[in-house]
């Protein structure tokens, strides 16, 4: 019988979980923005007229969800293996901002971010059992200045992105950690923390929904019939539990059959006695609405089988065992079942009762309560007779919730929910005796050497005599520090306490004592790791006490061949062909430990790239060309974009960003130097020829303006100019016009390079592996010391890497 009860309980549990409605939390409402004033936040028209939208702007903002609202948000994520983050938004183009973030300082625990710089939607999360944040990237442009509805659903090991109610991506991911009990964990809306990844634009209806098909809150017309990944995982676990119970029942049935076989060998009375009446073996009779039978002295009763009724609301009459259908109602050419309700207009309701349509009307002047808001602010809800005021606190107007329940406001009414430790419908709540069962939501969790004692709304675990408390659920009497049976870190000191022990990290280390990490004041930049107190281990390409210095590989001789130009990048470099040369892809090869990039001269005269006057003759030279006069009349002026420029003339292009000159028929343009590049404080190399050029206008030099600088995510005294890049948390970050965006390095398959080892085996080009990070290119092989790796890219003449690209060669 115990196995049968467990089987029924498991089935009921699965049915309840499959049918449970999703629970949601309005995060913008939890911030109470309509009642308080926040810097950088203003009310704006939204996508849904009935709800308030808020425009977020500026660099000083603090939208943190705290208190009971934060606890409820964490509880929504803890109690269900699936959740959905919803938002209606209009994001400024080129903005890279966070929509919602659970963060601990600068570490992201769960975050949804939209990058207008790279047209991506990113999900940052910590997988169950892991400590390093992961990121899932969905290519889509949200930051286009238009309104969008965003829904990101996570169900077990599956993530689904919907935009404007269209499912765009569905991917398998490691299940996120749903513990959400880290100390100092904070919930932010429109930003990652108080300083970084600030969303700029308008937000409306930002919600956190727990349970399956959470996107139906935003898009009620979408399909919800198919089970979600989380429901399937729960079903799988339930089936395994049912299988175990069925196995136990089978063993008990085998034993029962053996005992019955022995009883059948006895000559005994097998009649049945019921209410003073003797029934012979095999007899059947009806008692109330049950059909009973006598089988070998045992009475078995089953409910009377009723014929299937074809109506929606059958009625069971007194004294009858089977329900019957009552007559339907005909109104305005449409049939209604018994019990169906029909609302012909506001404040009127009709109910079908056994063929008669009974209608009643409500007078809103007498039945509806007076409203505290102005008549202009009152609104009507479809299907409701009375009007409502926006933001009404129905709970404060009086409710019927139990004293052990919590009243929660809804849009047009309130609802009651029993508090933790009580059960019921909210109107009536009874104390749960957790000591009656072990485990589960309503059971106790007392463990070794303890005794459960029930109290109102909860329970306590009392230690048995002779034992001391280890925690609220366990009691023990062991000195763990003697014999090192503790779990303290090797750099921690163990201190015994009555029934337990404590761990404290040594000086120079931080942590909870079970995990101790060395302290490097200010942290380590550019992917560096703190290997010992005040000592950073820097990745290749960086140095300095905090790995703040980028090693300029281009300063070393031989980084690129003479015809190629070296370009330094964070932690590495790449080579491009100089003007007048192009890469020869047919001749790329590697030889020993020497790096080659094979380039060939461009014949500008043949390919029509020269600027000689039509009266002069073009002569190709190595890397360039020259103009010569064979006959007269002849000019050594320059043909430039459909006009003739005199020899020796100088002019500006691109609003003054480039300085051009004509020298004996050869026209050339270079970037005009910026004022900040000429006066130091720059990593750019200024040639002497460039120093004599006119200074470029401020519009061409955004990196010179302090207002376009960006601060490092953690070391605020470290700033970067517009266009500079650095490494942070296994990602490449770039400052552009005062905004920071970070992304994971991507594998490059367009380089066309090759790499061979001593045996001639081909190896694919690969990217820089960041210290302490998982490889970003699993298919790429890191070459050994006996291989070479320089066979990279060369862009076409007058071309340069695109914004956001980072070409890395090793």
């Amino acid at each position: 019988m115990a196995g049968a009860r467990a089987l029924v309980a498991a089935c009921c549990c699965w049915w309840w979980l499959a049918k449970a409605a999703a629970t949601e939390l309005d995060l913008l409402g939890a911030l109470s923005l309509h009642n308080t004033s926040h810097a950088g936040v203003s009310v704006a028209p939204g996508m849904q007229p009935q709800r308030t939208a808020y425009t977020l702007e500026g660099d000083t903002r603090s939208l943190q969800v705290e208190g009971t609202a934060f606890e409820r948000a964490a509880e929504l994520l803890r109690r269900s293996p699936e959740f959905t983050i919803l938002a209606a938004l209009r994001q400024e183009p080129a903005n890279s901002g966070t929509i919602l973030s659970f963060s601990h300082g600068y570490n992201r625990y769960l975050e949804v971010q939209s990058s207008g710089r790279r047209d991506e939607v990113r999900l940052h999360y910590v997988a169950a059992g892991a400590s390093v944040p992961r990121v899932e990237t969905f290519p889509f442009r949200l930051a286009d200045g238009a309104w969008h509805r965003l829904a990101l659903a996570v169900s077990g090991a599956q993530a689904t992105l919907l935009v404007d109610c269209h499912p765009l991506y569905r991917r398998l991911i490691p299940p996120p950690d749903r513990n959400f009990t880290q100390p100092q964990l904070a919930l932010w809306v429109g930003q990652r923390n108080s300083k970084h990844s600030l969303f700029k634009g308008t937000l409306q209806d930002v919600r956190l929904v727990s349970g399956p098909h959470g996107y139906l809150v935003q898009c009620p017309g979408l399909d919800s019939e198919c089970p979600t990944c989380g429901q399937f995982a729960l079903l799988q676990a339930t089936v395994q539990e049912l299988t175990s119970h069925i196995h136990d029942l089978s063993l008990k049935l085998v034993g029962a059959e053996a005992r019955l076989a022995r009883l059948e060998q006895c000559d005994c009375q097998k009649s049945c006695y019921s209410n003073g009446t003797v029934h012979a073996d095999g007899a059947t009779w009806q008692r109330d609405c049950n059909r009973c039978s006598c089988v070998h002295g045992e009475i078995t009763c089953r409910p009377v089988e009723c014929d299937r009724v074809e109506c929606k609301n059958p009625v069971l009459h007194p004294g009858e065992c089977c329900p019957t259908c009552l007559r339907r109602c005909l109104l305005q050419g449409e049939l209604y079942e018994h019990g169906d309700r029909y609302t012909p207009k506001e404040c009127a309701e009709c109910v079908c009762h056994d063929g008669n349509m009974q209608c009643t009307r409500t007078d809103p002047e007498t039945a509806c309560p007076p409203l505290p808001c102005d008549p202009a602010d009152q609104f009507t809800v479809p299907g409701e007779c009375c009007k409502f005021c926006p933001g009404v606190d129905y709970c404060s107007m009086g409710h019927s919730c139990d004293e052990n329940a919590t009243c929660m406001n809804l849009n047009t009414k309130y609802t009651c929910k029993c508090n933790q430790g009580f059960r019921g419908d909210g109107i009536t709540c009874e104390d749960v005796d957790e000591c009656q069962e072990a485990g589960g939501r309503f059971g106790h969790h007392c463990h070794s050497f303890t005794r459960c004692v029930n109290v109102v709304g909860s329970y306590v675990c009392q230690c048995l005599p002779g034992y001391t408390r280890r925690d609220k659920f366990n009691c023990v009497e062991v000195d763990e520090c003697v014999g090192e049976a503790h779990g303290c870190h090797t750099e921690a000191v163990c201190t015994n306490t009555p029934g337990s022990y404590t761990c404290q990290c040594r000086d120079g280390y931080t942590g909870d004592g079970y995990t101790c990490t060395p302290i490097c004041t200010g942290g380590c930049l550019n992917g560096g790791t703190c290997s010992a107190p005040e000592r950073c281990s820097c990745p290749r390409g960086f140095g300095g006490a905090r790995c703040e210095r980028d090693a300029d590989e281009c300063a070393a001789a031989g980084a690129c061949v003479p015809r190629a130009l070296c370009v330094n990048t964070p932690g590495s470099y790449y080579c491009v062909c100089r003007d007048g040369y192009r890469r020869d892809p047919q001749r790329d090869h590697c030889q020993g430990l020497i790096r080659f990039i094979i380039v060939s001269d461009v014949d500008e005269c043949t390919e029509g790239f020269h600027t000689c006057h039509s009266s002069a003759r073009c002569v190709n030279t190595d890397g360039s060309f020259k103009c010569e006069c064979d006959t007269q009349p002849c000019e050594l002026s320059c043909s430039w974009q459909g006009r003739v420029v005199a020899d020796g003339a100088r002019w500006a292009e691109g609003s003054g960003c480039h300085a051009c000159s004509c020298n004996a028929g050869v026209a050339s343009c270079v970037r005009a130097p910026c004022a900040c590049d000429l006066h130091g404080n720059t990593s750019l190399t200024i040639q002497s020829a460039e120093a004599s050029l006119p200074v470029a206008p401020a519009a061409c030099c955004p990196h010179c303006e302090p207002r376009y600088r960006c601060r490092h995510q953690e070391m605020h005294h470290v700033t970067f100019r517009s266009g500079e890049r650095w490494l942070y948390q296994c990602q490449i970050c770039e400052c552009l016009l005062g905004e920071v965006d970070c992304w994971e390095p991507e594998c490059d398959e367009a380089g066309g390079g090759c790499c061979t080892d001593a045996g001639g085996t081909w190896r694919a080009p690969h990217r820089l592996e960041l210290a302490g990070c998982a490889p970003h290119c699993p298919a790429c092989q890191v070459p050994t010391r006996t291989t070479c790796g320089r066979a990279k890219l060369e862009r076409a003449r007058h071309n340069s890497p695109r914004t956001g690209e980072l070409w890395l060669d090793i």
Side-chain angles (χ1 to χ4, degrees):
M1 292 300 294
R5 285 194 297 270
L7 181 64
V8 174
C11 291
C12 293
C13 176
W14 162 246
W15 179 87
W16 181 83
L17 288 171
K19 296 295 183 180
T23 306
E24 60 183 280
L25 175 63
D26 182 358
L27 297 177
L28 289 177
L31 289 170
S32 300
L33 298 178
H34 59 284
N35 292 330
T36 58
S37 176
H38 288 263
V41 181
S42 59
V43 177
M47 190 177 189
Q48 304 176 33
Q50 297 85 1
R51 300 183 181 274
T52 306
Y54 300 93
T55 296
L56 311 183
E57 54 192 354
D59 298 327
T60 304
R61 196 191 310 154
S62 182
L63 298 182
Q64 181 179 358
V65 179
E66 301 177 297
T68 56
F70 170 80
E71 295 298 333
R72 187 183 174 200
E75 179 63 23
L76 289 179
L77 296 173
R78 280 194 295 262
R79 73 179 187 179
S80 175
E82 44 194 334
F83 60 89
T84 305
I85 297 173
L86 305 174
L89 54 90
R90 182 175 62 190
Q91 187 178 9
E92 294 182 3
N95 169 250
S96 294
T98 293
I99 301 169
L100 178 144
S101 176
F102 282 87
S103 63
H104 181 191
Y106 301 99
N107 297 319
R108 290 155 291 189
Y109 199 71
L110 175 65
E111 176 183 342
V112 177
Q113 181 189 28
S114 171
S115 172
R117 292 274 305 284
R118 297 176 64 83
D119 294 336
E120 296 173 346
V121 178
R122 301 168 184 156
L123 170 64
H124 302 268
Y125 66 98
V126 175
S131 58
V132 179
R134 301 174 62 94
V135 59
E136 191 70 26
T137 301
F138 305 94
F140 188 83
R141 185 186 183 192
L142 276 179
D144 57 1
W147 277 102
H148 294 286
R149 287 181 293 177
L150 174 72
L152 184 57
V154 177
S155 177
Q158 187 179 84
T160 304
L161 176 69
L162 300 91
V163 178
D164 297 327
C165 296
H166 296 290
L168 300 182
Y169 297 96
R170 181 173 287 118
R171 296 179 182 173
L172 293 179
I173 63 172
D177 184 9
R178 297 184 295 105
N179 190 15
F180 285 88
T181 57
Q182 286 192 355
Q184 300 178 354
L185 192 66
L187 172 57
W188 300 84
V189 178
Q191 54 199 104
R192 177 177 304 155
N193 48 42
S194 60
K195 299 182 182 298
H196 293 101
S197 196
L198 300 178
F199 179 92
K200 295 182 180 179
T202 306
L203 286 178
Q204 184 185 34
D205 202 23
V206 181
R207 295 178 180 269
L208 179 62
V209 183
S210 174
H213 304 299
Y215 52 80
L216 295 179
V217 176
Q218 188 182 78
C219 308
L222 292 183
D223 178 39
S224 61
E225 295 298 327
C226 297
T228 64
C229 184
Q231 289 175 317
F232 181 79
L234 185 60
L235 175 61
Q236 201 172 28
T238 305
V239 170
Q240 292 178 353
E241 183 179 359
L242 291 176
T243 302
S244 176
H245 289 314
I246 291 174
H247 177 71
D248 294 340
L249 284 174
S250 298
L251 295 178
K252 293 179 181 179
L253 286 174
V254 170
E257 288 176 353
R259 291 193 296 271
L260 286 175
R262 290 194 298 270
L263 289 175
E264 289 178 349
Q265 297 175 359
C266 301
D267 186 12
C268 57
Q269 178 68 36
K270 296 183 180 180
S271 301
C272 300
Y273 295 89
S274 175
N275 295 331
T277 303
V278 178
H279 299 277
D281 185 22
T284 60
W285 67 97
Q286 182 170 336
R287 184 172 62 190
D288 297 328
C289 289
N290 294 309
R291 177 69 64 180
C292 302
S293 60
C294 177
V295 179
H296 301 304
E298 293 288 338
I299 298 177
T300 302
C301 296
R302 292 194 179 104
V304 174
E305 295 184 2
C306 298
D307 296 333
R308 180 179 178 181
V309 293
E310 299 298 329
C311 57
K312 184 168 59 176
N313 301 308
V315 176
L316 182 63
H317 293 287
E320 297 183 1
C321 297
C322 296
T324 58
C325 295
L326 298 185
R327 292 175 298 174
R328 294 185 293 178
C329 301
L330 178 63
L331 179 63
Q332 296 181 356
E334 187 172 352
L335 288 174
Y336 293 87
E337 294 282 350
H338 169 75
D340 284 352
R341 296 178 180 271
Y342 168 68
T343 303
K345 59 181 179 179
E346 300 292 344
C347 302
E349 185 182 56
C350 299
V351 181
C352 177
H353 183 77
D354 195 16
N356 294 321
M357 187 64 78
Q358 301 175 357
C359 299
T360 59
R361 187 182 185 281
T362 301
D363 185 5
E365 297 295 331
T366 58
C368 295
L371 299 179
C373 58
D374 295 333
D377 296 333
Q378 298 174 8
F379 63 93
T380 302
V381 178
E384 295 288 342
C385 180
C386 299
K387 294 184 178 181
F388 296 90
C389 287
V392 173
D393 187 357
Y394 297 98
C395 293
S396 64
M397 298 170 61
H399 60 81
S400 58
C401 299
D402 190 89
E403 62 179 354
N404 294 313
T406 301
C407 177
M408 295 180 294
N409 286 305
L410 301 178
N411 286 339
T412 59
K413 56 183 180 179
Y414 68 88
T415 186
C416 302
K417 180 181 179 181
C418 292
N419 297 331
Q420 182 69 29
F422 297 87
R423 69 174 69 184
D425 58 1
I427 306 300
T428 302
C429 298
E430 298 179 354
D431 175 52
V432 176
D433 187 355
E434 293 86 354
C435 298
Q436 295 298 320
E437 58 179 287
R441 180 182 177 187
F442 297 107
H444 71 86
H445 296 270
C446 296
H447 298 305
S448 304
F449 312 116
T450 63
R451 180 171 62 90
C452 178
V453 177
N454 184 60
V455 296
V456 177
S458 184
Y459 66 95
V460 294
C461 301
Q462 290 185 350
C463 294
L464 298 178
Y467 295 90
T468 57
R469 182 171 302 281
R470 179 176 182 180
D471 52 41
K472 65 182 297 185
F473 303 110
N474 299 277
C475 298
V476 68
E477 181 53 67
V478 178
D479 187 354
E480 295 85 355
C481 296
V482 176
E484 299 186 356
H486 57 82
C488 296
H489 192 265
T490 55
E491 296 296 340
V493 177
C494 177
T495 303
N496 187 54
T497 60
S500 184
Y501 65 94
T502 60
C503 301
Q504 185 175 2
C505 295
R506 303 180 189 274
D507 292 341
Y509 292 84
T510 183
D512 57 2
Y514 301 95
T515 301
C516 297
T517 55
I519 299 174
C520 292
T521 305
C524 302
L525 295 179
N526 295 318
T529 58
C530 188
S531 57
E534 304 301 337
R535 184 185 304 169
C536 293
S537 296
C538 302
R540 182 177 53 187
F542 297 95
R546 293 293 180 263
C547 307
E548 72 277 4
R549 290 191 300 104
D550 172 36
D552 188 357
E553 292 85 356
C554 294
C560 299
V561 296
R563 293 180 176 181
L565 179 66
C566 179
V567 180
N568 186 51
T569 62
S572 187
Y573 69 100
Y574 62 89
C575 300
V576 296
C577 290
R578 294 181 182 272
D579 287 344
Y581 298 94
R582 68 161 59 94
R583 175 177 138 267
D584 186 352
Q586 302 299 326
R587 298 173 60 195
D588 282 355
H589 67 280
C590 298
Q591 208 173 60
L593 295 178
I594 303 176
R595 298 178 174 182
F596 285 91
I597 177 168
I598 306 303
V599 297
S600 59
D601 175 54
V602 176
D603 190 345
E604 293 86 355
C605 299
T606 303
E607 299 187 19
F609 293 152
H610 68 87
T611 59
C612 296
H613 189 268
S614 58
S615 62
R617 179 171 60 90
C618 176
V619 179
N620 186 55
T621 62
D622 186 18
S624 184
F625 64 95
K626 63 181 180 179
C627 305
E628 295 181 350
C629 286
D630 294 337
T631 61
Q632 294 297 330
C634 177
E635 296 184 19
L636 291 181
S637 54
C638 299
S639 295
W640 180 259
Q641 295 183 359
R643 70 180 190 271
V644 176
V645 181
D647 182 20
R650 294 177 179 271
W651 69 97
E653 292 283 347
S655 300
C657 296
H658 292 84
C660 304
S661 62
C662 176
N663 185 14
V666 179
S668 60
C669 295
V670 296
R671 183 183 63 84
C674 297
C676 62
D677 299 335
L678 294 174
H679 297 89
N681 192 25
T682 178
S683 60
L684 300 176
T685 301
I686 304 299
Q687 304 293 336
S688 59
E690 293 185 26
S692 62
L693 297 174
V695 177
C700 304
C701 308
H703 63 281
C704 295
E705 298 193 36
R707 64 191 179 100
Y708 288 143
R709 294 180 181 176
C710 306
R711 294 185 181 274
H712 188 270
Q713 287 89 334
E714 296 185 32
M715 302 179 68
H716 297 160
H717 62 282
V718 178
T719 60
F720 301 93
R721 299 192 301 178
S722 181
E724 286 190 286
R725 291 181 175 180
W726 65 98
L727 302 180
Y728 178 70
Q729 290 188 346
C730 303
Q731 293 186 321
I732 297 171
C733 299
E734 182 181 19
C735 176
L736 186 63
L737 300 179
E739 289 214 22
V740 177
D741 194 17
C742 302
W743 59 89
E744 291 190 340
E746 301 173 353
C747 296
D748 170 38
E749 300 177 355
C754 66
C755 187
T756 59
D757 58 17
T761 304
W762 180 83
R763 291 180 181 269
H766 62 283
R767 299 299 292 271
L768 174 69
E769 298 299 343
L770 304 180
C773 305
H776 293 281
C777 307
C780 300
Q781 303 294 326
V782 178
T784 63
R785 295 178 60 87
T786 60
T787 65
C788 62
R790 173 65 57 185
K792 208 51 178 168
L793 82 153
E794 179 273 330
R795 289 196 174 272
R797 182 172 177 264
H798 300 305
N799 206 358
S800 59
R802 296 188 298 268
T803 299
E805 288 186 331
L806 183 64
W807 301 88
L808 301 176
D809 298 324
I810 300 178

